Amino acid sequence: SVSFDNLQRGNVMPSEQQLQEIYQHMGKVSERDFLNCGACGYNSCREKAIAIYQGKADVNMCMPFMKEKAETVSKQVLKVSPNAVISLNLDFKIQSFNPTAYKLFDINPNVQVIGEDIEHWLDVDQFVSVLTEGPIMDAISYLPKNKKYVEKRVVYDEDVQMILIIMKDVTEQQKKVEQRKSLKNNTIEITDNI
């Protein structure tokens, strides 16, 4: 295995096997990965790999590879997030809907919701106000169709023209709060009657 850290090999050319190893580290595993886009400052992925071998370039400076890596990490985070995460375009159509959102809204994961109007599940008025007034953090909202309570944050990202909704299911906690209130009210009523 070849180490790519701080190599100072001058103008020594790598073997084809060494280039293959560098390509692997660059995320170049198939022909379609060789974009030769020049974003790294080199005319081709091969020139970049040679520069990496010679210690003149960093393996992480491949923009398409880093973008793909960041997108993969983002997708994994959304996939395993305990929070429901939904993104909308400015027409309030769903652009992304993570697995926790499917569970929160009791939707079969095989049902396609991308492109659907969010108003089927949430009140659109709050999203209009986030466009003009800034982020919204609801302490607790009730979803009557699903009989669930959520903590909800709604953020507008002007740079990408997207609305991001993050919700945490707090139904169980809210039920406990209501049970304690009910118990307290009953205790007060009994005490008053005595």
Side-chain angles (χ1 to χ4, degrees):
S1 178
V2 177
S3 172
F4 305 111
D5 297 330
N6 299 321
L7 295 178
Q8 296 300 321
R9 295 200 170 121
N11 292 324
V12 176
M13 295 299 286
S15 69
E16 281 306 311
Q17 181 180 344
Q18 290 167 322
L19 280 176
Q20 291 303 316
E21 289 180 32
I22 295 169
Y23 292 150
Q24 291 287 318
H25 281 77
M26 291 171 61
K28 311 286 180 197
V29 293
S30 72
E31 273 307 308
R32 68 176 176 80
D33 297 326
F34 289 81
L35 301 177
N36 299 320
C37 65
C40 61
Y42 293 91
N43 292 324
S44 69
C45 296
R46 182 178 178 82
E47 284 182 23
K48 166 73 182 230
I50 292 169
I52 291 169
Y53 179 81
Q54 294 173 343
K56 298 174 183 175
D58 186 305
V59 73
N60 292 318
M61 292 309 295
C62 177
M63 296 306 152
F65 173 62
M66 292 308 291
K67 180 178 182 276
E68 186 176 315
K69 199 173 185 181
E71 287 172 354
T72 300
V73 168
S74 293
K75 285 177 186 173
Q76 287 302 316
V77 168
L78 289 177
K79 196 177 194 180
V80 300
S81 175
N83 297 323
V85 182
I86 303 167
S87 65
L88 310 173
N89 65 16
L90 298 185
D91 294 326
F92 309 119
K93 301 235 186 262
I94 298 169
Q95 302 300 295
S96 66
F97 206 82
N98 76 340
T100 307
Y102 275 95
K103 186 176 176 185
L104 179 70
F105 290 103
D106 299 318
I107 301 170
N108 181 324
N110 297 322
V111 172
Q112 183 57 261
V113 297
I114 305 302
E116 295 290 323
D117 289 318
I118 194 64
E119 68 185 336
H120 295 304
W121 297 280
L122 295 169
D123 180 18
V124 174
D125 293 340
Q126 63 190 313
F127 307 124
V128 174
S129 67
V130 80
L131 294 173
T132 56
E133 298 171 21
I136 297 171
M137 178 60 182
D138 285 342
I140 294 182
S141 295
Y142 184 65
L143 305 175
K145 287 182 183 177
N146 307 94
K147 297 180 175 118
K148 293 182 182 174
Y149 292 91
V150 293
E151 284 181 352
K152 181 172 49 194
R153 179 171 293 252
V154 182
V155 180
Y156 170 51
D157 186 332
E158 196 171 349
D159 292 338
V160 293
Q161 300 287 294
M162 296 288 263
I163 298 167
L164 183 66
I165 308 160
I166 303 167
M167 292 179 285
K168 178 181 178 184
D169 186 345
V170 293
T171 304
E172 291 307 311
Q173 296 93 314
Q174 190 63 24
K175 284 180 180 177
K176 287 177 184 174
V177 167
E178 288 176 6
Q179 286 170 349
R180 283 192 292 261
K181 263 188 210 177
S182 178
L183 183 63
K184 182 179 177 183
N185 289 339
N186 286 343
T187 304
I188 291 171
E189 190 177 312
I190 290 169
T191 305
D192 287 347
N193 289 338
I194 293 178

